[in-house]
Amino acid sequence: MGRTLMKGNEAMALAAIRGGCTHFFGYPITPQNEIPELFARELPKAGGLFLQAESEIAAVNMLYGSAAAGARAMTSSSSPGLALMQEGISMLAATEIPCVIVNVMRGGPGLGTIQPAQSDYFQMTRGGGNGDYRIISLAPATVQESAEMMQKAFDLSHKYRTPVFLVSDGMLGQMMEPVEFLIPPSTKPAGDQSWVLSGHQGRRPPRTIKSLRLDPAMLENHNLKLQGKYSRITRRESQFESYRADDAELLFCAFGSAARIVKNSVDDLRQNGRRAGLIRPMTLWPFPFPAFRVLPEKCKSLVCVEMSCGQMVDDVRLAAGGRVPVHFYGRCGGVIPEPAELSEYAEELIVGGAV
Amino acid sequence: MSVIFKKTAGLTETDTHYCPGCTHGVAHRLVGEVLEELGLLGDTIGCASVGCSIFSYNYFNVDMIECSHGRAPAVATGIKRTVPGKTVFTYQGDGDLAAIGTAEIVHAAHRGEHITVIFVNNAIYGMTGGQMAPTTLSGQKATTAPTGRNAELSGMPLKMSEMIAEVPGATYVERVSLHHPKYIRKAKKAILRGFTYQLQNRGFSMVELLSTCPTGWGLAPVAALEWLGNNMIPYYPLGVLKAPEEV
Amino acid sequence: MADRRGIPHIAVERCKGCGLCVSVCPEAVLSIDESRVNLKGYYPVTVESGESCIGCLSCALICPDVTFTIELLDDR
Ligand SMILES: Cc1ncc(C[n+]2csc(CCOP(=O)(O)OP(=O)(O)O)c2C)c(N)n1
Ligand code: SF4
């Protein structure tokens, strides 16, 4: 297919179709509209179904029904829409239904702005729905990676029978970059279908997909089973990129769009003789704690950079475990930090003796 | 000697948890009988909603999915659009369908989803202990309307079937009652008609079943049947509100 | 067929003693048996005067717990 220039949003949608997605349900919201629009054009041609829902609440419940009936299904939205979906996401996690949910993040709280932000880190890792559940959260930083992670998201969701978030933002979704679809097209794995609602044909007992367990012992058991799955995911699936980190004295931590900008400042700082590096979480949950287990020998401090008022920094502090100070630099409300201001901030830390 | 009535294979062997005299059991039986008679038990997926009927997934002998409060029509949409060959129904109470789930029911009808909605209107929130529903009659007492529903404060009871009948995408809407054997026969015919339209891919069908909640109403089961006949039917007139032109 | 005759059978353990069947039976065939309690803890319905049953199914139709099976005696 070769390399094609396209928006992050379009790349995710095309990759989803390549990944075997057959059903899409969604409600319009900026800055993710290219996704449903592309599905509306392309899914019917591929023999699938695009349906515009009356709300994000309806969309996530349609997704629930469709995936429970065995489809590779997804929805996408942006921050306020994700807020509305939380009840459904808790239900999807509880009932262990594989599906993919894209969040092209914009600034909040409230309606906030349509400009890019990363202030849904909590929403994407702590959830807003009720109960003890976790959602795998993949965080691409390029259009190419958006496409690759999209395909991977479906495989992960089926492997673990759990919903998966793909966490993009308004910048990554809207920017155009060359992308090449390298992963071969996948379809629904022939794996365990014993939970799919298909009608019993008089050949087996009726099946039920449910979350309600009024007996505390039964609900505790179900929770423990889910937790077992979450710890398997934590052990196996956390992912990060390490950029010029081996000898870093000052180690940045940033994901997605912010990480792109940080890479530029790392290069700037290096040119000025400053030993800077970056750890870029590619999974927000599970957070890549192993990346921080052994810090570079010379590392004097960590700087978490986010397009928010500081959310991932909580995890970075946990990861640092008090070994080195953790600083935070953030811009919010749709403001995108410049590489120069990050370099300047780092210089100040270094000159001030913090590093 | 011949058996002229026996338990339908549309219901499992599990005894229901419903209160004595609650007509949810009658509604279940009618749906089970219709699905059995149409030969659909092996090919049906039911959507249980939040309310006393949440456990209906234990009682219907078909594949079932539990839905969040009010969302059953959206879940049913997702299922039907994925496996159009299956028969898909929702079973919803009036709190579920007429309060928290009004958007979902209106838009499922609006899109003309090929699903059948069994709407059990008992004019109260049963499961949570008898609070006022949008369908609670004017003056009717509920735990959150201790002196009776006050229209000034809470509006007049909502007539969902009339509303849904106005939605262009709805194919068939009928209101029936479960308070007397004669009416129960009619109710079964309406449910049969609803599922038949679905089988014929003729679009969205909804059957509203006027029902009792003896516990929530604070009435003995027999008195509850009478109360339904005397109070609910005058406000919620029975009959077909919308049906396709037969050729 | 002057005298249509039915035979009601009761699955006692399904019964919740609500009495709806008793109230709708046109021939007063049924009654609540207060001399015993079923496993669910209810006074179950019982056939009081089976010979009066006309097989109209009213009890079976109104019963929320599918307690009844009804047979029809063939016309003699
Ligand atoms: C989001 C949410 N809000 C509230 C509830 C609590 N709740 C459970 S059942 C119910 C009322 C159901 O009433 P109705 O639909 O009339 O059914 P009935 O019990 O009368 O059959 C409510 C409010 C819930 N489970 N979920
Ligand atoms: S509370 Fe009301 S609706 Fe619920 S089972 Fe009891 S009688 Fe039926």
Side-chain angles (χ1 to χ4, degrees):
Chain A
M1 201 175 160
R3 281 155 80 84
T4 322
L5 199 62
M6 66 177 74
K7 286 187 177 187
N9 283 342
E10 294 164 342
M12 283 190 284
L14 283 176
I17 297 174
R18 258 180 98 79
C21 172
T22 55
H23 288 71
F24 179 94
F25 307 91
Y27 186 78
I29 185 170
T30 310
Q32 62 82 56
N33 289 325
E34 292 81 4
I35 300 176
E37 286 164 1
L38 191 140
F39 277 120
R41 285 196 308 273
E42 300 298 330
L43 255 188
K45 288 188 217 162
L49 172 94
F50 164 85
L51 190 63
Q52 183 164 322
E54 65 271 26
S55 68
E56 289 85 352
I57 297 178
V60 75
N61 282 284
M62 290 174 183
L63 172 63
Y64 173 52
S66 178
R72 273 200 166 206
M74 65 171 284
T75 184
S76 74
S77 188
S78 177
S79 312
L82 263 292
L84 218 42
M85 288 183 191
Q86 293 299 330
E87 174 196 45
I89 293 168
S90 167
M91 194 74 162
L92 286 163
T95 52
E96 303 187 86
I97 302 295
C99 61
V100 177
I101 300 165
V102 175
N103 182 6
V104 183
M105 293 184 286
R106 57 188 250 184
L111 285 178
T113 173
I114 58 171
Q115 301 303 324
Q118 297 182 317
S119 43
D120 296 349
Y121 182 88
F122 286 155
Q123 197 187 46
M124 295 289 97
T125 60
R126 290 353 186 222
N130 57 303
D132 281 316
Y133 70 93
R134 296 289 188 170
I135 306 286
I136 299 175
S137 292
L138 308 178
T142 62
V143 173
Q144 178 68 34
E145 214 174 48
S146 300
E148 286 169 10
M149 284 187 173
M150 185 76 227
Q151 266 183 267
K152 186 180 167 188
F154 276 104
D155 294 336
L156 277 175
S157 79
H158 279 272
K159 180 172 172 191
Y160 293 103
R161 269 189 64 189
T162 196
V164 175
F165 285 143
L166 192 60
V167 187
S168 179
D169 63 58
M171 182 168 136
L172 203 52
Q174 295 297 325
M175 75 168 43
M176 290 184 92
E177 276 184 340
V179 57
E180 192 170 3
F181 293 94
L182 299 167
I183 309 178
S186 39
T187 47
K188 186 163 55 187
D192 177 25
Q193 301 281 299
S194 63
W195 51 274
V196 172
L197 299 181
S198 54
H200 57 59
Q201 308 297 332
R203 288 199 285 269
R204 57 161 171 80
R207 245 169 225 166
T208 302
I209 290 182
K210 61 161 189 170
S211 67
L212 187 67
R213 287 169 181 82
L214 290 181
D215 173 6
M218 277 171 73
L219 184 56
E220 185 177 53
N221 269 341
H222 181 61
N223 265 288
L224 293 176
K225 177 183 160 221
L226 291 179
Q227 292 302 316
K229 172 166 83 177
Y230 299 149
S231 57
R232 279 196 301 285
I233 296 172
T234 304
R235 279 198 308 278
R236 294 183 197 151
E237 304 296 347
S238 82
Q239 246 194 315
F240 63 94
E241 181 199 6
S242 174
Y243 182 71
R244 304 184 86 167
D246 288 352
D247 62 344
E249 290 181 4
L250 183 146
L251 193 56
F252 285 103
C253 183
F255 73 95
S257 288
R260 300 171 65 100
I261 302 160
V262 170
K263 275 190 182 173
N264 287 326
S265 355
V266 166
D267 294 345
D268 283 353
L269 288 161
R270 288 262 173 188
Q271 274 195 337
N272 296 329
R274 305 299 195 191
R275 283 194 288 198
L278 164 71
I279 287 177
R280 174 173 76 90
M282 296 162 72
T283 52
L284 304 184
W285 190 87
F287 187 78
F289 286 104
F292 300 84
R293 209 152 281 152
V294 181
L295 291 171
E297 211 172 314
K298 303 250 167 54
C299 178
K300 296 213 184 77
S301 65
L302 287 167
V303 179
C304 182
V305 178
E306 297 176 66
M307 282 150 57
S308 77
C309 297
Q311 300 189 5
M312 183 172 73
V313 67
D314 287 4
D315 283 333
V316 178
R317 290 208 171 97
L318 281 174
R323 286 170 295 168
V324 292
V326 176
H327 305 278
F328 173 73
Y329 188 88
R331 297 300 300 267
C332 58
V335 178
I336 300 166
E338 296 286 338
E341 66 182 286
L342 294 180
S343 306
E344 211 172 293
Y345 176 76
E347 285 289 352
E348 273 170 32
L349 284 178
I350 294 165
V351 172
V355 178
Chain B
M1 223 151 41
S2 56
V3 174
I4 52 171
F5 186 95
K6 67 176 175 30
K7 184 173 153 294
T8 165
L11 297 174
T12 63
E13 289 305 314
T14 311
D15 287 352
T16 71
H17 70 292
Y18 298 114
C19 304
C22 169
T23 48
H24 264 307
V26 180
H28 279 36
R29 193 191 69 233
L30 298 182
V31 172
E33 287 176 356
V34 165
L35 291 175
E36 183 190 15
E37 285 162 24
L38 291 173
L40 293 175
L41 293 173
D43 274 312
T44 295
I45 300 172
C47 301
S49 70
V50 169
C52 281
S53 60
I54 184 66
F55 292 114
S56 62
Y57 52 61
N58 292 329
Y59 311 141
F60 287 120
N61 179 18
V62 299
D63 280 5
M64 296 284 296
I65 186 166
E66 164 200 286
C67 307
S68 301
H69 202 10
R71 318 298 174 217
V75 178
T77 298
I79 297 171
K80 188 71 181 186
R81 297 284 186 145
T82 302
V83 282
K86 304 290 167 189
T87 297
V88 179
F89 74 94
T90 70
Y91 185 107
Q92 302 176 259
D94 47 320
D96 192 84
L97 182 143
I100 196 166
T102 40
E104 284 76 10
I105 192 66
V106 168
H107 284 274
H110 166 59
R111 289 186 302 270
E113 296 295 341
H114 297 291
I115 61 172
T116 303
V117 172
I118 306 298
F119 168 33
V120 176
N121 179 2
N122 59 14
I124 207 154
Y125 284 31
M127 181 174 240
T128 40
Q131 295 83 4
M132 182 179 64
T135 44
T136 299
L137 294 180
S138 224
Q140 183 188 340
K141 284 190 181 156
T143 57
T144 49
T147 55
R149 185 195 192 99
N150 170 359
E152 289 268 303
L153 180 66
S154 308
M156 288 296 284
L158 201 53
K159 297 184 176 184
M160 284 310 292
S161 286
E162 283 79 352
M163 254 176 82
I164 297 297
E166 283 298 312
V167 176
T171 297
Y172 170 62
V173 182
E174 178 164 359
R175 185 186 286 119
V176 293
S177 172
L178 300 180
H179 74 296
H180 187 278
K182 190 174 93 194
Y183 290 81
I184 292 170
R185 287 183 200 275
K186 281 195 191 150
K188 182 169 170 185
K189 287 205 181 101
I191 294 171
L192 177 68
R193 215 168 146 185
F195 279 106
T196 304
Y197 288 134
Q198 179 177 172
L199 276 181
Q200 297 169 347
N201 281 324
R202 290 172 79 175
F204 180 92
S205 50
M206 179 169 105
V207 181
E208 175 176 346
L209 307 166
L210 297 185
S211 294
T212 65
C213 174
T215 305
W217 295 355
L219 291 174
V222 175
L225 293 183
E226 280 161 21
W227 192 89
L228 188 167
N230 295 335
N231 297 277
M232 285 182 77
I233 293 178
Y235 188 79
Y236 295 117
L238 305 182
V240 175
L241 289 140
K242 189 172 194 180
E245 307 229 336
E246 298 299 342
V247 265
Chain C
M1 52 168 271
D3 50 348
R4 184 183 152 103
R5 276 281 322 272
I7 309 171
H9 301 278
I10 294 169
V12 174
E13 293 310 333
R14 293 185 79 98
C15 180
K16 292 176 186 157
C18 68
L20 296 188
C21 51
V22 179
S23 81
V24 297
C25 175
E27 305 294 327
V29 171
L30 307 164
S31 69
I32 294 294
D33 180 1
E34 293 190 8
S35 71
R36 63 170 177 158
V37 169
N38 70 5
L39 285 176
K40 286 204 186 94
Y42 297 112
Y43 295 135
V45 65
T46 192
V47 178
E48 177 87 25
S49 47
E51 66 292 344
S52 313
C53 175
I54 54 169
C56 72
L57 302 189
S58 291
C59 56
L61 287 169
I62 201 85
C63 175
D65 296 291
V66 215
T67 299
F68 293 91
T69 304
I70 315 281
E71 282 182 307
L72 194 66
L73 273 184
D74 292 333
D75 287 345
R76 275 145 297 172

